[in-house]
Amino acid sequence: MSIHQFNFKNIVGKEVSFKSFEGKVVLIVNTASNCGLTYHYKGLEDLYQEYKDAGLEIIGFPCNQFGKQEPGTSEEIQSFCDLNYGVTFPLSEKIEVNGSNAHPVYKYLKSELKGKLNDSIKWNFTKFLIDRDGTPYKRFSATVEPEDIKPYISELL
């Protein structure tokens, strides 16, 4: 089993297969525009610019499950990310990461890489690093800064 069996809808509603990322290292992050960690967008974009030509893909999954910190529409989220952080990496439509309505890719990632207490996502900007074969490699808590993930990305690239 790998992440390549899953699909998601991007921020404009187009179906995207994770198969399109085969051979790439992928960093998956649940995001929010009104969070104390929203500045992570800048660090994520910096990582993307530094490593995208080497085979890194970052995908942001907006989620409103934590403190209702992502209340906007897809258009508002995209505009916020463009204007405030110059985000060029792909974003999905808004999803849920916990509970019965959790997106299938998050159900899979949480089952493969459990958190400290259980498999639930605790907050915005939890990060999952996926290797080139689509296998979940490492999970990072929300408080891990994007630049602190560089050694792990370099290891996989």
Side-chain angles (χ1 to χ4, degrees):
M1 190 174 219
S2 84
I3 200 166
H4 298 141
Q5 70 192 42
F6 297 98
N7 297 332
F8 67 94
K9 287 188 179 177
N10 68 14
I11 196 113
V12 294
K14 181 182 175 197
E15 192 80 16
V16 178
S17 171
F18 273 102
K19 285 182 184 179
S20 65
F21 303 110
E22 282 182 320
K24 293 189 175 196
V25 172
V26 179
L27 185 64
I28 293 174
V29 186
N30 62 302
T31 61
S33 300
N34 298 315
C35 175
L37 298 173
T38 299
Y39 70 90
H40 279 221
Y41 271 127
K42 179 180 182 339
L44 292 167
E45 181 61 25
D46 290 346
L47 279 180
Y48 187 59
Q49 291 304 317
E50 183 173 348
Y51 293 108
K52 69 179 179 179
D53 292 339
L56 175 68
E57 194 63 63
I58 296 175
I59 307 168
F61 284 83
C63 178
N64 196 38
Q65 285 187 290
F66 306 102
K68 305 255 184 261
Q69 295 179 344
E70 188 58 273
T73 65
S74 289
E75 296 79 18
E76 290 167 338
I77 294 166
Q78 182 72 63
S79 177
F80 174 85
C81 290
D82 289 346
L83 292 172
N84 294 287
Y85 297 99
V87 168
T88 60
F89 56 84
L91 297 171
S92 80
E93 67 180 3
K94 198 176 343 182
I95 65 158
E96 291 187 10
V97 298
N98 288 328
S100 60
N101 293 323
H103 191 282
V105 77
Y106 269 87
K107 288 180 182 179
Y108 169 67
L109 290 172
K110 293 184 305 181
S111 73
E112 294 294 307
L113 298 172
K114 299 195 180 325
K116 287 190 178 189
L117 300 175
N118 60 36
D119 65 349
S120 293
I121 303 296
K122 305 292 183 286
W123 201 251
N124 304 307
F125 292 94
T126 298
K127 302 155 193 76
F128 290 91
L129 190 60
I130 314 301
D131 73 14
R132 290 182 183 269
D133 295 325
T135 304
Y137 178 75
K138 189 148 179 70
R139 177 176 175 161
F140 302 92
S141 72
T143 56
V144 172
E145 300 287 334
E147 55 270 12
D148 293 337
I149 300 172
K150 282 184 178 186
Y152 302 97
I153 292 170
S154 295
E155 187 176 308
L156 294 178
L157 291 174

